[in-house]
Amino acid sequence: MKSLEKLTKAQFASFCLMSFCAGVMIGVGGTAFLLSLSLDATWGKLLGSALFSLGILAIVMFEMKLFTGLISDMPEMGAKNWWRLPVCFLGNILGVLFAAVLVRYSVLGDTVVPEAGFILKKLHAEFWYVKALTSSILCGFLITLSIGAVNYAPRKGLSTTVGVMFPIIVFAFCGFDHSVANTLYFYFTGFSGKAVVYLLICVVGNILGGVILPILSLFRTWSNRAEKKAENNEKTDK
């Protein structure tokens, strides 16, 4: 990856635009999720989770930049490139808020907006800060699993589409916290200081959960290299 100093203006503008577009797709997917909640408590949620996953699939297909997806690159990109995370997050937030404004004043507004009230139950739950952290860690883990399917699914002869969508369906159905998607819901219910803190906790949790698999992958790579080096040394000694 190129550092900030070596990135051209056109490349930086493209990165920002793709971050904004990813936010819009999260907004569209989140809207479909809320609309499905108005149909049925359980089956509606399952349908909504599947529809939400289509937003992530579009992000992966068109190589948009999603904050929770970019986290998986942290161990390899190096600290000098971590500036991409806040820039991407800001672009995602602007994109999801843009989509939220359009939805609020569309024909779906009266149906979708009330369904976002589920986020307030989380906000007012006992030990909400602990639940927000653990829930967002699980979400980050599943997002990384979804993004990783792009590379690993073809190697195993599996469907990349299913590999990308299935972890997203699981996290959405379980109600795990996604920092960008939660921004959509809080916009509909109204922001507060507590809501902002909740979102910040979700950001931290998404990061913690998102780096688990990449760190394990790096550890496995280092372990394999060490084993091969040890084997080569044994052959040399013989």
Side-chain angles (χ1 to χ4, degrees):
M1 289 188 178
K2 295 186 176 181
S3 64
L4 179 59
E5 299 80 35
K6 297 181 180 180
L7 205 62
T8 66
K9 292 182 178 179
Q11 289 172 326
F12 181 73
S14 176
F15 181 85
C16 293
L17 178 60
M18 289 296 99
S19 299
F20 179 84
C21 290
V24 172
M25 290 311 305
I26 292 295
V28 172
T31 298
F33 177 76
L34 293 176
L35 185 61
S36 298
L37 291 182
S38 65
L39 302 178
D40 180 81
T42 302
W43 290 107
K45 188 176 183 180
L46 181 59
L47 173 62
S49 300
L51 294 177
F52 182 88
S53 70
L54 292 176
I56 302 295
L57 181 62
I59 289 172
V60 171
M61 288 177 59
F62 293 96
E63 299 183 351
M64 300 177 192
K65 305 301 180 182
L66 181 64
F67 170 71
T68 47
L70 198 62
I71 290 171
S72 63
D73 293 330
M74 282 186 67
E76 294 184 351
M77 72 169 63
K80 67 179 181 179
N81 286 301
W82 286 358
W83 63 267
R84 294 170 181 261
L85 294 173
V87 172
C88 182
F89 183 71
L90 178 59
N92 290 168
I93 295 301
L94 292 177
V96 79
L97 290 177
F98 176 75
V101 171
L102 294 181
V103 170
R104 177 183 284 276
Y105 296 103
S106 72
V107 294
L108 296 177
D110 293 338
T111 303
V112 169
V113 172
E115 295 297 334
F118 78 90
I119 197 71
L120 295 179
K121 295 180 181 179
K122 292 185 176 184
L123 192 62
H124 298 301
E126 187 177 10
F127 300 113
W128 59 271
Y129 42 89
V130 176
K131 294 177 180 178
L133 180 62
T134 54
S135 176
S136 55
I137 288 175
L138 291 168
C139 174
F141 178 82
L142 288 169
I143 289 287
T144 300
L145 194 63
S146 173
I147 299 299
V150 176
N151 296 319
Y152 291 105
R155 300 178 188 177
K156 302 297 182 179
L158 303 174
S159 168
T160 301
T161 300
V162 174
V164 170
M165 292 177 61
F166 195 70
I168 306 304
I169 294 174
V170 172
F171 108 68
F173 187 73
C174 291
F176 297 148
D177 286 291
H178 188 278
S179 52
V180 179
N182 279 356
T183 303
L184 174 78
Y185 309 140
F186 278 126
Y187 171 80
F188 289 145
T189 59
F191 285 103
S192 65
K194 192 174 181 180
V196 173
V197 173
Y198 193 98
L199 287 175
L200 292 177
I201 292 175
C202 290
V203 169
V204 174
N206 288 162
I207 293 174
L208 294 176
V211 297
I212 292 175
L213 283 177
I215 290 176
L216 290 177
S217 179
L218 285 176
F219 179 78
R220 184 180 63 180
T221 299
W222 294 334
S223 178
N224 290 339
R225 288 177 180 175
E227 289 180 2
K228 290 181 179 179
K229 185 176 181 179
E231 291 176 359
N232 292 332
N233 290 337
E234 289 180 2
K235 293 179 180 179
T236 302
D237 294 337
K238 292 179 180 180

